[in-house]
Amino acid sequence: MTVAVVQFGGSNCDRDAVRALSHLGIDAERVWHEDGLPEDVTGIMLPGGFSYGDYLRAGAMAARSPILSEVREAAADGVPVLGVCNGAQVGCESGLTDGAFTTNESARFQCERVFLRVENADTPWTAAYDEGDVIALPIAHGEGRFEVSEERYDQLVEENRVLFRYCDADGNVTDDANPNGSRGNVAGICGDYGVGVLMPHPERACLPDLNGSTDGAGVLRGFEHA
Amino acid sequence: MSLSDADRELVVAELGRDPTPAETVLFENLWSEHCAYRSSRPLLSAFSSEGEQVVVGPGDDAAVVRLPTYDEDGTETDEEGEMYITMGIESHNHPSYVDPYDGAATGVGGIVRDTLSMGAYPIALADSLYFGGFDREHSRYLLEGVVEGIADYGNAIGVPTVTGSVDFHENYEGNPLVNVACVGLLSADRLVTAEAQEAGNKLVLVGNATGRDGLGGASFASEDLAEDAETEDRPAVQVGDPYSEKLLIEANEELVDERLVASARDLGAAGLGGASSELVAKGGFGARIELDRVHQREPNMSALEILLAESQERMCYEVREEHVDRVAEIAAKYDLGCSVIGEVAEGNYVCTKDGETVVDVPPEFIADGAPMNDLDSVAPEQPTRDLPDADLPAAFEAVVGSPNTASKRWVYRQYDHEVGLRTAVRPGDDAAVMAIREANAGLAISSGANPNWTTCAPYDGARAVALENAANLAAKGATPLAAVDCLNGGNPEKPDVYGGFRGIVDGLADMCRDLSVPVVGGNVSLYNDSVSGPIPPTPTLAVVGTKAGYDAPPAAFDGAGEILLVGDAGGAFGGSEYLAQVGGSDGFPTLPENASETLSTLATVANAETTLAVHDVSHGGPAVSLAEMVTADAGAEVSVENALDLFDETPGRAVVETTAPESVREAFDGVASVTTLGSATTDGTLSLSVGDETLVYDAEEIADLRGVLARELD
């Protein structure tokens, strides 16, 4: 099995994703977007970065690149797809998931540690946790504020598609614990099939030698459920 | 600025004719202070740049240093390390005044390309920034623009900004400083230099198209900032494109993977003319360049515009003829422009345009022929002692709440400091520690200077800057490996300014030698002068050190240990934040004579298992160190004999929390003094007793005091 970490021009967390997945014993390789997906692909990760410089809207250009059609088809065939940070923006822009990630309430880039409450433990990306668990992950984004219409938001909640919400250390979902003004403190959601997207970086909370959280390993282990 | 009469005479004598217009601007820029170091090179021989670990010293795009390798169990191996790091530092001072966002962003881009041209992958950035008084609106405007520029560029290219410094001083009002250092990593077999290898090899320009931007940037950087610089000099400032830079990083990586590069130089100051002439001259060659072949963004560019434009995100590669097609393929993969502009040749450096020769000069003459300036200097006077009687609580709150000592989280939160998965100790600590798994080594990085210190005493202040940066590494248990410096000064034609500049050069050089830290490269930026006067002489030093593994004691209290202050106090307060806040003057503190021994002992103590926390003493003195170590869960009960002891900034000292105070005393026996300050607590409160007076602050009150940047700027 191989997880394809799709590298667009401007991706910058592709090497990190491969390193973190390899650490977990999950075979992964970087795939240049113009080369297309390998035939034996068993998982797809859309990594963080600034695809095409994010000069239009974040993720908008990459979402329209040819490899995304392949990603959509693979997803429909049951291949798990995880979008992280810029990859989450690409996921939204390409219609793999609902909503959009847009400019932080602060209008600044924010690189810091946040807490997340697991809302739905019944997906590949959250199966390692129990509902209500609190995990610590880093964020690093300028455009991570989740937005979606009121109506669609209610539907997302009803369909149990919220993966994580920003919370405090004790698991309380509060305005103070919301780093970017996301609607409903939503940090990550799932789409159809095995598609999940989140703004925080699970691959940065994986390697024990970095003296930080290793709570992100559970998210990446979602590729093992394929 | 134009070519001076004296320089023109030299050129005419060498060429035996009048220079062409293109040659004239080439000489004007390459012989400028910015490129040729005419006023500083006579002083730079003070630095020692040698050491077993030094692979490439000063004079290339970046320095290259061999990393020690460690066994799994943490002992250093005898084998010659196979992993190298690159180190470079650059100033982008004038552009950042005129256009803070683009000026700072392109400073990052430039130093990253210096890293690429050695064959390395950039793994860390450090920024040392200096602005006028924080209470001024204009300083805040510059700070916000500079930080946003660094963030947008560095974050997009995926290079973490892991450490640095921010200082405010009224004399930066008319001329802020932006000093950016970059560390790269490469295996020994990937090393590329900026020394042309063989006549007949092609010169290939890869990257952005050349336009009319940044014309005359080098010469703009070599004169005082005029009052109308913000409007008049805007065309000399380049605009960055981090997306292209990121593509260039990836393309460079593939070019080096496939061993397609014979030599490389990035295009920085003085554009194509600078990079190509220096590259061939360094190898003892000339060149034949057809300027028409340069891929251009605008029509009808003249020869001198193509030669001098400082359009960003471009690299010049020397490539063997048989590899040229493959280089073009890789450039195409990354949507980068690519043109074969000529070749390395014997003889002169020759450029043609429309079949006409526009430049024809001896390469070593243009690259190294600039005459040096012999300038007068006046040594600065040491201030005398005039210490005020200050109210302790007011002084504590003023010092801990000063923007200079305050938390810089507002700044580093905007930088992606974790991309790359190597950042094991994050910003906000004494030094960053990067995991170099390829050598089982932790690479500690610290960068900064202190304008108050070097204003008070340029020579001793600069020695203190070197000691303080090295102490930051020691506090994390690392041994210094090498340093690069960025020497910033005012107009060197003013004898007192040049005297101060001479002081910081000698001071930095002497302390680095005492610490056995080779200074392997650097940058000089003079003419940081404006209608508001010269800047304080500012010797930014970026130092790296190594240790086995990536663990380091935190700079926050644990709560279970005894608190010691290690290191000798210097007995004076000149240049301190305390005097800046309460007024008065004093000479600069005496620095320890055995600085090297003190720091190696501190590093040993830092690595002991019984050591729970270490934080070095610097800006603001122990008062600030202690305040910074308090968390919601851990605090300290501390008492000192004399209130002034709390504000003594003598570097080379640290606050240590330990469960084995006796072994710390033993380690420092005969090396430096160890004073018991008190004990750590688990109540998140700092209690400070001086005689019968006791100050008590809880973690939240301290955070409020230290939160001045975020409070004022958000």
Side-chain angles (χ1 to χ4, degrees):
Chain A
M1 63 174 255
T2 298
V3 173
V5 178
V6 181
Q7 182 199 5
F8 298 99
S11 296
N12 67 26
C13 299
D14 42 327
R15 287 181 179 82
D16 296 0
V18 170
R19 190 191 290 278
L21 288 165
S22 304
H23 169 74
L24 298 175
I26 300 170
D27 185 41
E29 63 178 271
R30 294 159 74 211
V31 173
W32 178 242
H33 70 105
E34 287 182 343
D35 294 344
L37 293 175
E39 278 186 13
D40 62 342
V41 70
T42 54
I44 299 167
M45 183 155 167
L46 304 173
F50 291 75
S51 53
Y52 298 93
D54 281 352
Y55 288 157
L56 184 57
R57 287 183 314 278
M61 296 283 285
R64 283 150 187 82
S65 72
I67 200 171
L68 255 293
S69 316
E70 293 182 48
V71 172
R72 253 185 238 103
E73 280 170 31
D77 287 343
V79 175
V81 178
L82 177 66
V84 169
C85 201
N86 193 236
Q89 295 160 341
V90 174
C92 288
E93 281 283 347
S94 65
L96 280 168
T97 61
D98 216 334
F101 292 103
T102 184
T103 310
N104 294 351
E105 204 168 48
S106 68
R108 295 190 206 280
F109 191 94
Q110 289 168 238
C111 179
E112 57 196 324
R113 184 90 9 144
V114 297
F115 293 105
L116 303 174
R117 193 177 75 186
V118 178
E119 298 294 306
N120 171 3
D122 196 20
T123 78
W125 314 114
T126 49
Y129 315 107
D130 291 327
E131 193 180 314
D133 275 1
V134 176
I135 64 172
L137 293 186
I139 58 167
H141 60 243
E143 301 182 41
R145 177 168 56 89
F146 182 70
E147 267 309 341
V148 68
S149 72
E150 188 85 46
E151 193 187 334
R152 297 287 305 147
Y153 175 75
D154 291 341
Q155 205 172 334
L156 284 174
V157 174
E158 196 173 309
E159 293 171 3
N160 215 3
R161 287 180 186 267
V162 177
L163 295 174
F164 302 103
R165 290 183 202 270
Y166 299 108
C167 65
D168 64 19
D170 301 320
N172 303 305
V173 175
T174 64
D175 285 349
D176 279 351
N178 187 345
N180 52 25
S182 289
R183 182 177 287 265
N185 286 40
V186 170
I189 57 169
C190 55
D192 290 334
Y193 320 114
V195 176
V197 302
L198 73 162
M199 286 310 296
H201 285 272
E203 82 282 8
R204 294 187 184 183
C206 236
L207 304 179
D209 60 10
L210 294 179
N211 306 315
S213 160
T214 51
D215 293 351
V219 177
L220 300 186
R221 289 207 183 278
F223 285 114
E224 290 178 339
H225 297 281
Chain B
M1 189 182 255
S2 58
L3 197 61
S4 72
D5 289 345
D7 286 356
R8 174 177 289 272
E9 279 172 28
L10 274 177
V11 171
V12 170
E14 172 75 21
L15 302 182
R17 59 175 167 79
D18 279 339
T20 66
E23 286 168 346
T24 305
V25 288
L26 208 50
F27 279 104
E28 176 199 324
N29 276 274
L30 283 172
W31 283 16
S32 66
E33 184 64 46
H34 185 74
C35 288
Y37 292 8
R38 299 172 67 157
S39 303
S40 57
R41 195 175 290 176
L43 305 181
L44 299 180
S45 56
F47 287 107
S48 165
S49 57
E50 294 181 0
E52 278 181 348
Q53 68 274 48
V54 182
V55 179
V56 177
D60 213 305
D61 270 352
V64 180
V65 181
R66 179 181 289 113
L67 283 179
T69 41
Y70 298 87
D71 284 338
E72 293 288 326
D73 68 359
T75 44
E76 194 176 331
T77 60
D78 293 334
E79 290 162 43
E80 198 164 84
E82 285 302 303
M83 293 306 295
Y84 293 167
I85 57 161
T86 63
M87 299 177 73
I89 191 165
E90 186 162 282
S91 61
H92 243 214
N93 302 337
H94 284 184
S96 300
Y97 175 80
V98 174
D99 178 351
Y101 180 88
D102 291 302
T106 51
V108 175
I111 199 65
V112 166
R113 285 192 302 282
D114 282 339
T115 307
L116 301 184
S117 59
M118 309 310 292
Y121 193 89
I123 61 163
L125 289 163
D127 301 290
S128 288
L129 313 176
Y130 308 85
F131 301 97
F134 182 69
D135 52 347
R136 286 177 179 257
E137 203 54 47
H138 191 241
S139 304
R140 294 180 183 193
Y141 149 79
L142 292 171
L143 169 68
E144 295 204 274
V146 164
V147 170
E148 197 182 349
I150 291 170
D152 282 359
Y153 204 98
N155 297 349
I157 61 173
V159 183
T161 302
V162 297
T163 189
S165 58
V166 182
D167 287 88
F168 303 93
H169 187 287
E170 57 184 8
N171 291 349
Y172 296 116
E173 179 56 36
N175 198 128
L177 304 182
V178 174
N179 295 174
V180 189
C182 183
V183 175
L185 184 68
L186 70 157
S187 53
D189 57 333
R190 296 174 73 89
L191 179 65
V192 174
T193 67
E195 192 174 308
Q197 299 293 310
E198 196 179 331
N201 283 349
K202 300 298 175 188
L203 291 171
V204 183
L205 187 62
V206 174
N208 268 345
T210 300
R212 289 186 177 87
D213 43 350
L215 284 167
S219 89
F220 157 62
S222 305
E223 54 193 352
D224 292 358
L225 273 173
E227 209 163 351
D228 56 1
E230 280 185 275
T231 48
E232 287 302 303
D233 290 324
R234 202 162 274 263
V237 181
Q238 315 86 346
V239 175
D241 171 10
Y243 176 56
S244 290
E245 181 95 347
K246 175 62 176 154
L247 294 173
L248 207 47
I249 292 174
E250 296 297 335
N252 189 76
E253 201 57 8
E254 286 201 32
L255 295 175
V256 177
D257 278 345
E258 298 186 26
R259 305 293 185 269
L260 303 174
V261 178
S263 70
R265 186 137 198 147
D266 92 297
L267 274 67
L272 174 63
S276 59
S277 65
E278 285 164 356
L279 179 88
V280 295
K282 208 164 151 47
F285 295 101
R288 302 285 175 276
I289 293 173
E290 291 176 56
L291 295 173
D292 316 86
R293 302 179 71 160
V294 170
H295 51 290
Q296 296 160 42
R297 204 175 57 222
E298 299 173 57
N300 304 322
M301 288 183 69
S302 71
L304 70 89
E305 286 169 336
I306 296 170
L307 269 173
L308 262 296
E310 294 183 7
S311 303
Q312 297 292 290
E313 294 91 22
R314 299 179 300 163
M315 298 280 291
C316 182
Y317 294 107
E318 179 195 359
V319 179
R320 290 184 192 288
E321 185 150 22
E322 64 266 31
H323 292 148
V324 166
D325 290 346
R326 181 62 190 140
V327 170
E329 274 175 29
I330 290 171
K333 170 180 172 182
Y334 292 103
D335 291 331
L336 292 166
C338 176
S339 39
V340 180
I341 58 170
E343 60 186 33
V344 179
E346 302 291 347
N348 270 6
Y349 174 77
V350 179
C351 301
T352 60
K353 174 93 172 36
D354 301 324
E356 197 181 315
T357 298
V358 291
V359 175
D360 185 353
V361 295
E364 68 289 349
F365 181 63
I366 194 153
D368 292 314
M372 295 296 121
N373 294 336
D374 182 14
L375 299 173
D376 292 332
S377 67
V378 177
E381 283 175 25
Q382 275 261 11
T384 51
R385 174 165 279 205
D386 173 21
L387 295 179
D389 259 337
D391 172 61
L392 178 59
F396 178 87
E397 286 171 26
V399 169
V400 174
S402 155
N404 279 326
T405 59
S407 165
K408 301 302 186 306
R409 182 170 181 269
W410 181 88
V411 175
Y412 62 74
R413 191 173 81 142
Q414 297 185 56
Y415 302 149
D416 187 340
H417 44 259
E418 297 195 317
V419 62
L421 296 190
R422 292 186 185 273
T423 319
V425 174
R426 297 164 184 80
D429 208 311
D430 287 330
V433 178
M434 308 299 289
I436 312 296
R437 301 182 183 90
E438 296 84 344
N440 290 321
L443 184 73
I445 312 174
S446 169
S447 116
N450 183 328
N452 283 334
W453 292 357
T454 42
T455 297
C456 168
Y459 175 77
D460 283 321
R463 288 175 66 223
V465 164
L467 178 57
E468 201 271 322
N469 277 294
N472 281 331
L473 307 185
K476 300 297 109 179
T479 304
L481 180 73
V484 289
D485 61 27
C486 191
L487 303 163
N488 308 270
N491 184 337
E493 295 155 43
K494 300 176 183 171
D496 57 332
V497 169
Y498 197 56
F501 184 75
R502 181 184 282 267
I504 61 167
V505 173
D506 290 344
L508 215 51
D510 285 352
M511 183 56 82
C512 285
R513 187 176 292 107
D514 286 353
L515 296 171
S516 306
V517 182
V519 180
V520 291
N523 173 270
V524 178
S525 173
L526 292 170
Y527 294 95
N528 291 294
D529 226 308
S530 68
V531 284
S532 354
I535 59 155
T538 310
T540 301
L541 194 70
V543 195
V544 301
T546 55
K547 64 179 301 182
Y550 333 123
D551 284 339
F557 288 127
D558 171 87
E562 190 167 309
I563 299 171
L564 308 175
L565 177 62
V566 303
D568 293 329
F573 301 88
S576 66
E577 189 61 36
Y578 174 75
L579 290 192
Q581 294 296 331
V582 305
S585 69
D586 197 2
F588 198 74
T590 306
L591 300 178
E593 278 175 20
N594 60 343
S596 184
E597 198 184 357
T598 304
L599 293 193
S600 60
T601 308
L602 176 58
T604 305
V605 165
N607 285 327
E609 278 188 19
T610 45
T611 297
L612 302 178
V614 183
H615 189 17
D616 98 312
V617 172
S618 63
H619 304 34
V624 169
S625 305
L626 290 165
E628 287 174 341
M629 297 177 83
V630 173
T631 70
D633 306 316
E637 264 177 40
V638 163
S639 64
V640 295
E641 276 177 30
N642 185 336
L644 277 176
D645 292 347
L646 288 169
F647 305 110
D648 182 331
E649 299 190 1
T650 312
R653 299 186 299 156
V655 175
V656 175
E657 181 189 359
T658 173
T659 55
E662 276 321 306
S663 63
V664 175
R665 283 180 200 286
E666 235 166 76
F668 275 96
D669 185 34
V671 177
S673 58
V674 175
T675 315
T676 302
L677 291 178
S679 49
T681 63
T682 51
D683 62 0
T685 298
L686 177 63
S687 162
L688 276 175
S689 301
V690 181
D692 51 13
E693 191 172 7
T694 299
L695 308 184
V696 179
Y697 296 93
D698 65 24
E700 206 167 311
E701 289 166 321
I702 291 172
D704 272 353
L705 281 172
R706 302 195 63 239
V708 54
L709 263 60
R711 188 163 61 242
E712 295 292 322
L713 296 171
D714 277 339

